[in-house]
Amino acid sequence: MTLSRIILGFLAVHPMTGYDLMRAFATSAAYFWRADKAQIYRTLAKLVDEGLARIEVVPGTNAPDRIVHHITDQGRKMLHAWLVAPPESQAPRDSFVARMFFAGDLDDGEISALIDGRAADATVAREALAAVRAETPHPDPRSDRAGWLRSMTLDQGIREHDEHLEWLDALRSGLGSEESS
């Protein structure tokens, strides 16, 4: 359900093709929600079937036609209902944390290798968000509340990576490793 509401949110910002949505997830929503191509297209079809979105075929010039999705009035009502409802509680799912939970029998080198791999991934992800932040305006909430809220979610994604990297350093320190990122 959350994926369909996020897609409605993107369509409320402006109409999009499936490709546009994939790019939006990759460049703006990936720090709080992941969706692959099949999930996006399957959800778009369902939203159209349910009358929450509609399609517009834009003829291509020397290219295939574009299928642009628009949110409907019913879709806006559904999005609004979701936005004002209490958030659903979702248990975090992180295979790395699960591995750390059970890694007590591994030697320090094995644990360090896991930590180093995770730290490298987290650093790349954090740097990617920092690059987006450098190119993203941080609007005044009084003049562009929607843009400001989107900007603040980007800041939260950066903070989460910073905190995760600090936790990885604490793991390293507990192992007696002298290196930290």
Side-chain angles (χ1 to χ4, degrees):
M1 179 174 97
T2 302
L3 176 59
S4 66
R5 300 318 183 254
I6 292 170
I7 289 174
L8 287 174
F10 277 125
L11 296 179
V13 173
H14 59 79
M16 296 184 172
T17 64
Y19 177 79
D20 295 334
L21 280 163
M22 289 186 330
R23 193 172 55 221
F25 270 93
T27 61
S28 67
Y31 53 90
F32 62 85
W33 202 268
R34 300 210 188 284
D36 63 33
K37 179 180 179 179
Q39 291 171 313
I40 291 170
Y41 279 93
R42 190 172 45 247
T43 304
L44 275 172
K46 186 175 179 186
L47 291 171
V48 170
D49 288 346
E50 293 173 351
L52 302 173
R54 66 176 176 81
I55 60 172
E56 170 191 14
V57 178
V58 178
T61 319
N62 298 325
D65 292 348
R66 294 180 61 225
I67 309 288
V68 180
H69 296 80
H70 298 260
I71 192 169
T72 63
D73 289 340
Q74 183 181 351
R76 286 186 192 283
K77 288 176 187 171
M78 181 69 68
L79 176 61
H80 182 266
W82 178 69
L83 290 171
V84 300
E88 305 87 21
S89 177
Q90 294 182 345
R93 295 171 51 175
D94 188 324
S95 66
F96 176 80
V97 175
R99 289 173 192 204
M100 288 299 103
F101 187 86
F102 294 109
D105 290 335
L106 298 180
D107 65 39
D108 285 358
E110 292 170 319
I111 295 171
S112 291
L114 289 171
I115 294 168
D116 291 345
R118 181 61 171 245
D121 291 345
T123 300
V124 167
R126 197 240 180 258
E127 288 173 357
L129 292 178
V132 172
R133 163 48 62 224
E135 296 180 12
T136 302
H138 201 15
D140 185 322
R142 293 173 300 247
S143 61
D144 181 6
R145 183 172 52 184
W148 176 76
L149 288 168
R150 288 190 293 271
S151 177
M152 291 298 290
T153 62
L154 174 59
D155 291 347
Q156 176 60 20
I158 293 169
R159 283 186 189 103
E160 287 177 4
H161 283 292
D162 287 342
E163 290 172 11
H164 189 66
L165 288 165
E166 287 176 26
W167 178 71
L168 292 171
D169 283 344
L171 283 174
R172 263 194 209 98
S173 294
L175 293 175
S177 174
E178 305 217 355
E179 283 186 41
S180 62
S181 58

